[in-house]
Amino acid sequence: AASAPAAGASAPLASAKPDALSPDQPKPSYLLPAAEIVGFEFLLNRFNRYFGSGRDDYRVTLDSIRTNLHSHWGTDDDPFETNQLGHPYAGATYFGFARSSGLDFWTSAGYAVAGGAVWEIAGERTLPSRNDEIATGIGGTFLGEALFRMSNLVLEQGGGLPRFWREVAAAAIDPAAGFNRLVFDDRH
């Protein structure tokens, strides 16, 4: 039999169910983070295509997407900063879009993994990479939750900063959540 939590213990933030929300709190959005991820990936692809170093890798066509959908996933030899910084940060962005739309930890983790898969298939012409997917989905989930919580901590406590500067600092920590707060106010 399950026992009740010890006195003074609090439940994790991710345990709240949508039906347990208070009436004045909006329902979590499942479509919004999916649209934001696709939009972010499109803009990232365009930026890399016109300003990046491996520009031809980002000249995506329907044929390259079809090829990636039907190819085997391998491993790549991207530089350390791409695999260990860039991919987890992209995954953290996907995670942040979902988390700041009111979704729980595990659902947001699914968005990070799915966002990584979409990028591997449709964001670049190179064959899909298992190591990129792991770094984006799993690394991005861990980094994304830390950034989401630090951002919320700055907003809630702020160290004596006025609200405007807390918003700026929180957006610098978690830009995806900052974007959602800017566009949708304090919806979540």
Side-chain angles (χ1 to χ4, degrees), residues 57-188:
D57 289 345
Y58 303 101
R59 195 173 41 84
V60 175
T61 63
L62 289 176
D63 286 336
S64 68
I65 293 170
R66 193 174 300 111
T67 298
N68 284 348
L69 274 171
H70 294 94
S71 67
H72 294 285
W73 287 56
T75 55
D76 67 21
D77 58 355
D78 286 342
F80 176 84
E81 57 273 3
T82 300
N83 281 337
Q84 304 307 317
L85 299 173
H87 284 288
Y89 193 78
T93 301
Y94 309 149
F95 182 90
F97 282 135
R99 200 74 162 92
S100 63
S101 294
L103 302 178
D104 65 18
F105 174 86
W106 291 109
T107 305
S108 299
Y111 279 81
V113 170
V118 169
W119 178 261
E120 288 299 311
I121 293 166
E124 54 191 5
R125 293 170 49 98
T126 58
L127 293 177
S129 167
R130 288 186 300 263
N131 57 311
D132 289 352
E133 178 61 18
I134 291 167
T136 303
I138 296 173
T141 295
F142 290 126
L143 178 60
E145 182 67 7
L147 296 176
F148 178 77
R149 287 181 182 241
M150 285 188 289
S151 174
N152 282 337
L153 188 62
V154 166
L155 281 174
E156 292 167 6
Q157 297 183 358
L161 292 173
R163 176 72 183 190
F164 173 80
W165 292 112
R166 289 193 319 245
E167 288 285 351
V168 169
I173 292 168
D174 188 352
F179 174 80
N180 277 348
R181 277 192 309 278
L182 178 67
V183 174
F184 303 106
D185 201 24
D186 285 331
R187 184 169 180 261
H188 294 287

Side-chain angles (χ1 to χ4, degrees), residues 32-42 93-95 97-98 111-112 114-115:
L32 177 63
E36 289 174 326
I37 290 167
V38 169
F40 174 78
E41 289 185 343
F42 174 78
T93 301
Y94 309 149
F95 182 90
F97 282 135
Y111 279 81

